[in-house]
C-alpha cells in the first residue's frame, strides 16, 4: 500500500476496509508501471491517500481474468447468484459508517448525503437480488403446424463499467448489481477522484464470496483514463460497456465500441428543465427543487438546471426559493452543520463562476449567492439563484454541474414545452401543476427519458433510469429492462413429428 503524509485520519471502524491497490483476479496489485497518484479531499484540498495508476497495459490481464471467471460464474444458478448478492448487500449496509466517511473525503458531500447515497446504492443490490431469480424465457405459438418456438436468456459475458465521481458507490452498484445478477463478470474503472470507494466495494464483494475474477477494479489517473478506457472498449473479450458521464465522452466511447459491435449503455448529460405553472403548490415545488438542485452541490446529471416559472408567480416563487436557499450551510462534509459541501473538482469552480459572470453580462440578476467561498482551501461556491434569465445565457444551453440555477419566465404551456425541449439532451424533466390534463400533456410532450410529475425525485431501484436524445440510451434499474441490458435472448425453434 502507498503511504501519503496527510493530517487527515479517516478513523475507520474497520481499518481493513481501506484499500488503495487495484483489484484483479482476487489479488490486490500495483500498476505494471509502478506509478501511483494522489487522492485529494475537495473540502480542504489536502492529499489523504494514493492509488496505483493503472494504464492500458494493465487491461488485458484484468479482462482475461474476468473472462476466465465468467466461464464458471455463468453456470451459477439464479438462486446462488441471488444469495451472493444478498450477502454483498448485507456487508455494504453493515459497513455504511466507514463507507460514508470515505465518500465524504473523496467527493466532498456532507455526511448525511453520504449516508443517503449508501442507502440509495444498497437499494440496487437488494432489488437485483430479486431480479436474479426473475430472469425468464418465453414461448410463442407458431404459425406452422408441428413447430414450437421459445427463448432463453443468457448472460452476455465480461462487462466494462466506466463510473463517474459524483455518486461513486451508487453508480458502480447500479451497474454491478444488474451484471452480477445476470451472471456477468465485470472490470470497473472508477473516476480518478473517487477510486477508494470502488476498491472498498471490491473488498466487500470478496468477503461476500464472489469468486476471483468476477469483480475487478482498475483505478487510474485522468491522463491515463482515455487510453485505458479505449483498451477496455476495444478488447475482444469485453462484450458490454456501461458508462455514466458526459455526452462528449459517451460519443467517443460509442465510436470505440462500434468496431466490435459491443452492447452499450450510456447515461449521459442532463441540462434538465424544471417547469412551475401558476396553479402549482409553490411550497411543494420549492421543497422539491432545493434538494434536487443543491444535493452534492448541484453535481448530478438529473439535477434541475433551467427553472421555468410562469410569469404570474415568478417573483413570489423566486423570493420563496431564495429564502430557502439562504438557509443552506456550506462547509466541510464532516461538519454536522453542513448541508452543502464543496464541488469535487476545481474545474467545476471555474465553470460555475463563468456561468454566473456570463449571466450578469446578459442581463441576469444574482438574487442570492454568486461567489466563491474561501473555506479551508476547498472548492466551495455559494448556492446561487439567477433571475431574469434568458436563452442567450450559457446556463440556458450548458449543463452547469454546480450549485447555480437560473429562473426563466414563461407565459403559456406551449412556450414552456418549447423552451424545456430546446436542448440536445433529454435525461430528465420536471413539471409542477395541479391541472391533471396539463400534467398528462406535459408527461407526453416533454422530451426526456424520465419525467418528475409534482416530484423532484425520479430515481429508484424499481424505476427504469435512462435518457433519450444526447443523454444516451439503455436503462439502468427497473424491472426486467435493466437486467436485460446484460443478457442475450436466444431463440429456439423445434419441429415435432406426430404432433399438431
Amino acid at each position: 500500500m502507498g503511504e501519503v503524509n496527510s493530517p487527515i485520519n479517516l478513523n475507520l471502524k474497520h481499518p481493513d476496509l481501506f484499500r488503495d491497490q487495484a483489484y484483479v483476479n482476487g489479488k490486490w496489485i500495483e500498476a505494471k508501471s509502478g506509478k501511483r497518484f494522489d487522492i485529494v479531499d475537495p473540502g480542504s484540498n489536502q492529499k489523504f491517500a494514493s492509488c496505483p495508476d493503472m494504464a492500458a497495459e494493465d487491461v488485458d490481464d484484468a479482462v482475461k481474468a474476468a473472462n476466465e471467471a465468467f466461464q464458471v460464474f455463468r453456470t451459477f444458478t439464479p438462486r446462488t447468484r441471488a444469495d451472493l448478492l444478498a450477502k454483498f448487500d448485507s456487508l455494504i449496509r453493515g459497513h455504511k459508517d466507514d463507507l460514508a466517511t470515505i465518500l465524504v473525503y473523496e467527493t466532498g458531500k456532507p455526511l448525511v448525503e453520504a449516508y443517503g447515497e449508501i442507502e440509495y446504492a444498497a437499494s440496487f443490490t437488494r432489488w437485483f437480488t430479486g431480479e436474479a431469480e426473475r430472469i425468464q424465457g418465453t414461448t410463442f405459438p407458431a404459425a406452422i403446424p408441428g413447430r414450437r418456438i421459445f427463448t432463453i436468456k443468457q448472460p452476455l459475458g465480461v462487462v466494462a463499467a466506466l463510473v463517474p465521481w459524483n455518486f461513486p458507490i451508487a453508480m458502480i452498484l447500479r451497474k454491478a448489481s444488474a451484471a452480477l445478477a445476470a451472471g456477468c463478470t465485470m472490470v470497473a474503472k472508477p473516476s480518478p477522484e473517487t477510486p477508494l470507494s470502488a476498491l472498498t466495494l471490491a473488498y466487500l464483494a470478496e468477503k461476500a464470496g464472489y469468486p476471483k475474477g468476477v469483480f475487478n477494479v482498475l483505478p487510474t489517473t485522468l491522463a491515463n483514463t482515455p487510453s485505458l478506457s479505449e483498451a477496455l472498449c476495444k478488447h475482444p473479450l469485453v462484450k458490454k460497456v456501461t458508462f455514466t458521464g458526459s455526452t462528449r465522452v459517451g460519443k467517443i466511447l460509442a465510436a470505440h465500441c462500434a468496431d466490435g459491435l459491443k452492447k452499450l449503455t450510456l447515461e449521459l448529460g442532463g441540462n434538465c428543465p424544471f417547469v412551475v405553472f401558476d396553479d402549482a403548490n409553490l411550497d411543494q415545488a420549492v421543497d422539491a427543487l432545493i434538494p434536487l438542485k443543491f444535493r452534492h452541490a448541484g453535481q448530478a446529471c438529473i439535477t434541475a438546471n433551467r427553472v421555468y416559472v410562469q410569469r404570474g408567480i415568478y417573483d413570489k416563487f423566486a423570493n420563496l426559493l431564495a429564502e430557502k436557499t439562504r438557509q443552506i450551510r456550506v462547509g466541510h462534509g464532516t461538519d454536522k452543520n453542513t448541508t452543502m459541501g464543496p464541488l469535487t473538482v476545481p474545474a467545476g469552480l471555474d465553470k460555475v463562476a463563468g456561468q454566473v459572470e456570463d449571466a450578469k453580462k446578459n442581463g441576469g440578476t444574482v438574487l442570492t449567492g454568486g461567489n466563491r467561498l474561501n473555506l479551508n482551501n476547498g472548492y466551495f461556491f455559494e448556492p446561487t439563484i439567477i433571475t431574469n434569465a434568458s436563452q442567450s445565457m450559457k446556463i440556458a444551453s450548458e449543463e452547469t454541474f454546480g450549485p447555480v440555477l437560473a429562473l426563466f419566465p414563461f407565459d403559456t404551456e406551449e412556450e414552456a414545452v418549447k423552451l424545456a425541449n430546446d436542448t440536445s439532451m433529454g435525461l430528465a424533466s420536471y413539471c409542477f401543476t395541479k391541472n391533471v390534463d396539463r400534467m398528462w400533456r406535459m408527461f407526453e410532450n416533454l422530451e426526456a427519458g424520465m419525467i418528475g410529475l409534482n416530484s423532484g425525485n425520479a430515481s429508484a431501484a424499481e424505476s427504469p433510469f435512462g435518457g433519450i436524445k444526447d443523454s444516451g440510451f439503455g436503462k439502468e434499474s427497473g424491472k426486467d429492462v435493466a437486467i436485460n441490458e446484460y443478457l442475450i435472448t436466444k431463440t429456439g425453434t423445434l419441429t415435432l413429428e406426430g404432433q399438431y
Side-chain angles (χ1 to χ4, degrees), residues 107 165-167 293 295-301 342-345 401-402:
T107 66
W165 46 256
N166 55 343
F167 293 89
K293 178 64 219 185
R295 180 187 295 115
H296 195 18
Q299 299 170 113
C301 55
L343 282 80
T344 302
V345 295
F401 232 64

Side-chain angles (χ1 to χ4, degrees), residues 313-388:
I313 57 166
Y314 185 90
D315 290 339
K316 182 178 180 181
F317 182 83
N319 290 329
L320 183 61
L321 182 63
E323 179 185 347
K324 293 287 184 71
T325 300
R326 293 186 185 107
Q327 296 173 15
I328 295 172
R329 293 292 173 261
V330 180
H332 195 280
T334 57
D335 186 337
K336 64 180 181 179
N337 295 316
T338 294
T339 55
M340 192 185 89
L343 282 80
T344 302
V345 295
L349 282 174
D350 296 331
K351 184 174 184 178
V352 294
Q355 284 193 350
V356 171
E357 288 307 308
D358 173 78
K360 290 193 291 187
K361 289 178 182 178
N362 284 278
T365 301
V366 176
L367 188 59
T368 187
N371 301 298
R372 300 175 191 241
L373 290 173
N374 184 17
L375 297 173
N376 307 318
N377 295 315
Y379 314 141
F380 294 96
F381 200 91
E382 291 179 309
T384 301
I385 299 172
I386 297 169
T387 57
N388 302 318

Side-chain angles (χ1 to χ4, degrees), residues 89-402:
D89 175 83
S90 177
L91 287 169
I92 291 166
R93 295 175 189 275
H95 291 82
K96 63 181 180 180
D97 293 338
D98 287 343
L99 284 169
T101 297
I102 292 170
L103 263 182
V104 168
Y105 282 104
E106 279 194 312
T107 66
K109 63 183 58 178
L111 190 60
V112 65
E113 286 188 15
Y115 278 111
E117 178 179 343
I118 293 163
E119 186 62 33
Y120 172 61
S123 72
F124 297 112
T125 46
R126 176 171 291 174
W127 173 262
F128 286 103
T129 294
E131 284 287 270
E133 295 191 271
R134 290 194 287 259
I135 299 171
Q136 298 174 343
T138 53
T139 61
F140 301 93
I144 298 174
R147 179 173 288 183
R148 302 292 183 266
I149 302 171
F150 40 88
T151 66
I152 59 172
K153 300 288 184 71
Q154 294 179 311
L156 268 170
V158 179
V159 176
L162 310 176
V163 186
W165 46 256
N166 55 343
F167 293 89
I169 290 181
M171 293 303 94
I172 201 166
L173 285 181
R174 190 162 70 187
K175 300 173 188 300
S177 298
L180 295 173
C184 295
T185 57
M186 176 170 281
V187 179
K189 186 211 76 66
S191 173
E193 290 79 13
T194 56
L196 300 176
S197 49
L199 294 168
T200 297
L201 293 176
Y203 173 78
L204 293 177
E206 180 181 80
K207 295 302 178 186
Y210 281 101
K212 66 178 185 178
V214 170
F215 186 64
N216 310 272
V217 179
L218 299 178
T220 190
T221 55
L222 187 61
N224 272 333
T225 287
S227 58
L228 188 150
S229 299
E230 181 177 359
L232 279 171
C233 290
K234 292 184 174 180
H235 199 291
L237 295 178
V238 171
K239 303 303 180 185
K240 154 89 179 183
V241 176
T242 173
F243 169 71
T244 298
S246 72
T247 296
R248 180 186 67 83
V249 173
K251 291 180 177 181
I252 293 171
L253 297 176
H256 291 334
C257 292
D259 284 345
L261 295 177
K262 299 185 190 300
K263 196 168 186 178
L264 187 61
T265 298
L266 296 175
E267 194 264 285
L268 307 178
N271 199 19
C272 307
F274 187 103
V275 183
V276 185
F277 287 94
D278 56 12
D279 65 342
N281 180 328
L282 299 192
D283 288 321
Q284 181 187 44
V286 168
D287 288 344
L289 181 55
I290 290 289
L292 179 66
K293 178 64 219 185
F294 296 114
R295 180 187 295 115
H296 195 18
Q299 299 170 113
C301 55
I302 60 171
T303 190
N305 204 50
R306 300 168 291 137
V307 180
Y308 296 101
V309 184
Q310 202 156 20
R311 201 174 300 274
I313 57 166
Y314 185 90
D315 290 339
K316 182 178 180 181
F317 182 83
N319 290 329
L320 183 61
L321 182 63
E323 179 185 347
K324 293 287 184 71
T325 300
R326 293 186 185 107
Q327 296 173 15
I328 295 172
R329 293 292 173 261
V330 180
H332 195 280
T334 57
D335 186 337
K336 64 180 181 179
N337 295 316
T338 294
T339 55
M340 192 185 89
L343 282 80
T344 302
V345 295
L349 282 174
D350 296 331
K351 184 174 184 178
V352 294
Q355 284 193 350
V356 171
E357 288 307 308
D358 173 78
K360 290 193 291 187
K361 289 178 182 178
N362 284 278
T365 301
V366 176
L367 188 59
T368 187
N371 301 298
R372 300 175 191 241
L373 290 173
N374 184 17
L375 297 173
N376 307 318
N377 295 315
Y379 314 141
F380 294 96
F381 200 91
E382 291 179 309
T384 301
I385 299 172
I386 297 169
T387 57
N388 302 318
S390 66
Q391 295 301 108
S392 63
M393 298 175 181
K394 288 182 178 179
I395 200 168
S397 57
E398 293 181 356
E399 185 178 20
T400 301
F401 232 64

